[in-house]
Amino acid sequence: MFRLEQFGFRALWSPYFFLFLLVLTLIFFYVAKKQRHRFEGSELLTKKEGTLFIFTMLFLYIIKGSPIDLLGHLMFTFHMIQMAFLYLLIPQLIITSVPVWMWKKLLSLPVINKVFAFFTRPLIALIVFNGMFSFYHIPLIFDQVKTNIWYHALYTSILFLFAIFMWWPLINKVETEKRLSGLKKVGYLFADSILITPACALIIFNHTPMYETYTNIEAWVQSLHLCVPADVISTLQLSGPEMFNLMSAQYDQQTGGVVMKILQEIIYGVILYRIMMDWYKREQEETDSFPIPGNGP
């Protein structure tokens, strides 16, 4: 029985990625605690924001730095689990955990402000993110990206950035950046759910395996180089991804599509609930601020 431990510590726990996230976390708290006085309008980092940022970094490490990342190269199902959390949940956590004054400072930079102003327009944000997500899962594109470390790093980084752009109109708390409210948020979320469905449907209802990365041993071994050191791969006797998968490539592919869709619906359902509750509270506050006059004598 081939065990994951044989891929080695670096492949299983990505120590360099852990160090990167650790440095990023330290920089975040240094700026939030020690350099806050340099920025006009800055406020103290709340306990909720600090805790949420640490949780976000840990969660990001679990998704991209733990054995889940290696499993994403062995089974398509785990790849889609990664996609769901990495692009549909973690960007939300980053937007929420970073204090408003930090976002304001970042958006005060001319180049970043122009980029955000254009790509966070609701229609553009929806089309670009979902277009890139669907384009990524076209078999020819997918196999090219998954077998080239530079293509993979570039494409997934850009996709992550556009995921932040996509979630920005819905959940950001910067006063000057709030472009959607009430019913528009519901419509935006519904449109997002519709636009991401074709990619999942293509994967779920295709009755033949689409991706050579999970069926062709040469492409599969090449994709392993993205997370497994070459010197480790050279010592392993690999016959193909079926060594680690109890399902056939077709069922693994379909299961991945189903899992992605279920996770997407759960995440979107939670967001919809929060939108409706915020909308209800706002309506109640407006109603309370205009009391109904009593009957005169």
Side-chain angles (χ1 to χ4, degrees):
M1 182 69 179
F2 203 96
R3 297 178 300 174
L4 292 181
E5 289 81 0
Q6 293 178 260
F7 284 106
F9 180 79
R10 281 177 57 189
L12 288 172
W13 298 107
S14 307
Y16 296 124
F17 185 62
F18 176 81
L19 288 176
F20 168 75
L21 293 181
L22 179 60
V23 170
L24 184 63
T25 302
L26 292 175
I27 292 174
F28 171 80
F29 279 99
Y30 175 74
V31 173
K33 297 286 188 179
K34 302 296 185 180
Q35 299 297 312
R36 180 180 59 85
H37 64 279
R38 298 177 56 187
F39 305 113
E40 184 179 352
S42 62
E43 299 177 355
L44 287 173
L45 181 71
T46 66
K47 184 177 181 180
K48 179 181 178 180
E49 291 169 337
T51 303
L52 184 58
F53 189 85
I54 292 175
F55 171 79
T56 302
M57 294 298 103
L58 288 174
F59 191 44
L60 179 56
Y61 174 70
I62 291 172
I63 296 301
K64 284 294 293 179
S66 76
I68 291 177
D69 187 53
L70 175 59
L71 286 168
H73 292 274
L74 304 178
M75 295 177 62
F76 186 77
T77 298
F78 280 94
H79 162 76
M80 294 307 283
I81 291 173
Q82 273 190 304
M83 297 293 288
F85 288 121
L86 190 59
Y87 300 113
L88 302 183
L89 181 58
I90 291 177
Q92 297 185 59
L93 298 177
I94 290 176
I95 293 172
T96 305
S97 62
V98 174
V100 171
W101 67 265
M102 280 192 182
W103 283 118
K104 287 181 177 179
K105 182 60 181 179
L106 186 65
L107 294 175
S108 68
L109 303 175
V111 175
I112 294 180
N113 182 268
K114 290 180 180 179
V115 171
F116 258 77
F118 181 78
F119 285 109
T120 58
R121 294 177 182 178
L123 185 60
I124 293 176
L126 283 176
I127 292 175
V128 174
F129 170 75
N130 287 287
M132 287 193 67
F133 184 89
S134 297
F135 186 71
Y136 179 40
H137 288 95
I138 295 173
L140 178 63
I141 304 302
F142 185 89
D143 290 329
Q144 286 292 323
V145 172
K146 289 284 282 186
T147 55
N148 185 294
I149 189 170
W150 299 111
Y151 291 165
H152 187 265
L154 179 63
Y155 199 99
T156 54
S157 297
I158 293 174
L159 186 59
F160 187 79
L161 179 61
F162 279 109
I164 292 177
F165 291 156
M166 187 272 290
W167 286 110
W168 184 259
L170 269 181
I171 63 174
N172 89 85
K173 297 179 181 179
V174 181
E175 295 83 358
T176 57
E177 294 289 317
K178 291 183 179 180
R179 300 176 182 176
L180 297 176
S181 60
L183 190 59
K184 290 182 180 180
K185 284 189 175 183
V186 176
Y188 184 89
L189 193 64
F190 178 76
D192 194 21
S193 179
I194 294 297
L195 289 173
I196 206 171
T197 298
C200 295
L202 174 68
I203 294 167
I204 294 170
F205 297 109
N206 200 307
H207 297 294
T208 58
M210 297 189 299
Y211 305 112
E212 290 193 2
T213 309
Y214 295 96
T215 56
N216 180 290
I217 184 171
E218 292 183 1
W220 176 65
V221 171
Q222 186 64 31
S223 74
L224 287 179
H225 281 81
L226 272 65
C227 61
V228 183
D231 60 326
V232 174
I233 292 180
S234 64
T235 65
L236 303 176
Q237 295 181 345
L238 302 174
S239 61
E242 66 277 358
M243 298 173 64
F244 307 92
N245 201 337
L246 298 178
M247 296 182 287
S248 67
Q250 176 189 339
Y251 289 142
D252 180 32
Q253 177 180 291
Q254 292 176 324
T255 301
V258 170
V259 169
M260 171 70 189
K261 190 59 182 174
I262 291 174
L263 290 174
Q264 177 247 313
E265 292 295 340
I266 293 173
I267 293 170
Y268 283 33
V270 172
I271 296 301
L272 179 61
Y273 173 78
R274 291 180 58 186
I275 291 172
M276 299 302 292
M277 290 302 297
D278 290 343
W279 191 7
Y280 173 77
K281 290 178 181 178
R282 194 177 302 112
E283 291 292 327
Q284 287 295 107
E285 290 173 357
E286 292 178 358
T287 301
D288 292 342
S289 63
F290 295 99
I292 300 175
N295 295 326

